[in-house]
Amino acid sequence: MEQRHLGRTGLRVSRIGLGTLTWGRSADGPDEAEAAAQLKTFWNAGGTLVDTADVYGGGEAEYLLGQLIGSVPRRDLVIATKAGGVADPDRRFDGSRGHLLAALDDSLARLDTDYVDLWQVHAFDPRTPMEETLQALDIAVSSGRARYAGVSNFSGWQLAKAATWQLAAPGVRTRLASTQMEYSLLQRGVEREVLPAALDLGVALLPSSPLGRGVLTGKYRSGTPADSRGASQTLAAFVDPYLDEAASRIVDAVATAAHGLAVTPLQVALAWVRDRPGVAAPILGARTSAQLGAALSVETLSLPEEIRRALDDVSAPVHRYPDQDWSTL
């Protein structure tokens, strides 16, 4: 699998990442044997970037990954995790230095490793000064517990402020390597401000849900399969927003393109986001190793320009003032 630099850093990652959002969920995720099969399939395909978070499965995703790291060489993996989420009805995220660094230590224990390759703040915390949150990233890297640092779910101005502060603050040696955001043909909101900021600042984009929460595979075109996330008691609300009429038109266009190229809709949707400007590696989750293997076959696919333009047009978000490029008008 092709490797790409993560932003303006020396870290190289596979251009598809393996996601573990559903690992450790007894009803919706893979058991240990299936997770092991996924990791081995991913590694055999040349994949390196494995993404997790301290809140996935209540910590069980990290623990499961930690149990499996020995099945493939640790040096071959780029392990990314996130911190900041809290189980508090009044506060979803805690970006304080104390919470983040304690969470990192807990993550390292569950992952059974001395360091993570990429440590990310899971979301912006308006109750904590951003400088304090960013200081935690610098401490983590300086102490060797993390090799690189990034953020997740930051808006355009938040990302720009964070990256600029990291570059300008006295004594800070850690620059942001990446930002993880949802991005797909069904969700192009990052193109308004986040992606332009990331491109300008040399921060790589790691798209989550690159298949539109599974909808872009076409599996929901004739209803909700019983074994899908859309039928899951815990994940149905995650899928439902992308089952509307507007999404249906985009899914139909993806299916038409796939038919013309003799590939699957999954491959078309994944190739589209993988090759967008600024993208380092879409993060892909799967129920089974067979599903994952089929998705990883996208490595050989590059979309023809006319198909890419057609998909751009059918999924184009509405940009109005001040998001338009007024210099071209």
Side-chain angles (χ1 to χ4, degrees):
M1 190 183 302
E2 181 182 321
Q3 305 288 304
R4 292 173 171 171
H5 281 280
L6 195 66
R8 293 179 189 156
T9 75
L11 180 63
R12 289 166 59 84
V13 299
S14 55
R15 63 174 180 168
I16 298 291
L18 174 61
T20 63
L21 173 66
T22 60
W23 287 25
R25 297 175 186 264
S26 57
D28 303 305
D31 58 19
E32 184 171 349
E34 180 54 51
Q38 288 190 27
L39 186 61
K40 185 60 69 72
T41 296
F42 183 64
W43 177 69
N44 284 335
T48 62
L49 177 62
V50 182
D51 179 75
T52 189
D54 62 349
V55 295
Y56 291 174
E60 287 300 312
E62 286 185 330
Y63 178 77
L64 181 52
L65 178 57
Q67 297 296 107
L68 300 176
I69 285 177
S71 64
V72 301
R74 171 66 179 91
R75 66 180 179 274
D76 289 352
L77 297 179
V78 176
I79 297 176
T81 194
K82 297 179 281 293
V86 292
D88 184 336
D90 298 320
R91 183 177 188 174
R92 292 186 60 199
F93 301 104
D94 186 344
S96 67
R97 182 170 52 244
H99 174 81
L100 291 175
L101 293 175
L104 175 57
D105 289 337
D106 290 342
S107 289
L108 293 175
R110 285 189 291 267
L111 289 164
D112 194 24
T113 185
D114 295 330
Y115 69 95
V116 290
D117 300 275
L118 177 64
W119 189 47
Q120 304 154 98
V121 178
H122 209 146
F124 177 71
D125 174 15
R127 301 186 184 185
T128 301
M130 185 182 285
E131 293 80 2
E132 179 178 336
T133 298
L134 298 175
Q135 285 167 358
L137 296 179
D138 198 48
I139 291 170
V141 173
S142 299
S143 67
R145 287 175 282 176
R147 298 288 171 84
Y148 295 87
V151 295
S152 175
N153 298 304
F154 273 41
S155 69
W157 75 262
Q158 291 161 359
L159 173 63
K161 180 178 179 180
T164 302
W165 188 89
Q166 291 290 84
L167 290 171
V172 173
R173 296 178 295 279
T174 303
R175 67 175 300 150
L176 293 184
S178 63
T179 180
Q180 188 172 148
M181 301 287 291
E182 185 171 354
Y183 187 29
S184 74
L185 279 161
L186 295 183
Q187 178 51 273
R188 295 177 61 182
V190 297
E191 293 178 8
R192 283 190 286 274
E193 292 189 346
V194 175
L195 191 52
L199 285 166
D200 185 67
L201 293 161
V203 177
L205 180 65
L206 298 174
S208 58
S209 296
L211 300 177
R213 307 182 184 184
V215 175
L216 287 166
T217 64
K219 69 173 69 176
Y220 297 99
R221 295 179 80 194
S222 301
T224 302
D227 62 347
S228 68
R229 289 181 179 180
S232 163
Q233 193 170 25
T234 56
L235 296 175
F238 182 67
V239 176
D240 189 63
Y242 290 163
L243 297 178
D244 61 10
E245 185 177 342
S248 180
R249 288 194 297 271
I250 297 171
V251 172
D252 287 346
V254 170
T256 299
H259 179 75
L261 294 171
V263 297
T264 66
L266 180 155
Q267 291 171 310
V268 169
L270 190 56
W272 180 89
V273 71
R274 180 199 64 196
D275 295 333
R276 298 295 286 178
V279 168
I283 306 299
L284 182 69
R287 265 192 316 110
T288 68
S289 58
Q291 278 186 345
L292 179 62
L296 294 176
S297 65
V298 74
E299 180 67 15
T300 60
L301 175 64
S302 295
L303 296 180
E305 180 65 18
E306 61 272 20
I307 289 180
R308 185 194 61 77
R309 285 200 305 266
L311 293 174
D312 287 353
D313 290 344
V314 76
S315 64
V318 176
H319 289 310
R320 295 192 174 96
Y321 179 86
D323 298 321
Q324 291 165 298
D325 184 0
W326 290 91
S327 65
T328 64
L329 298 181

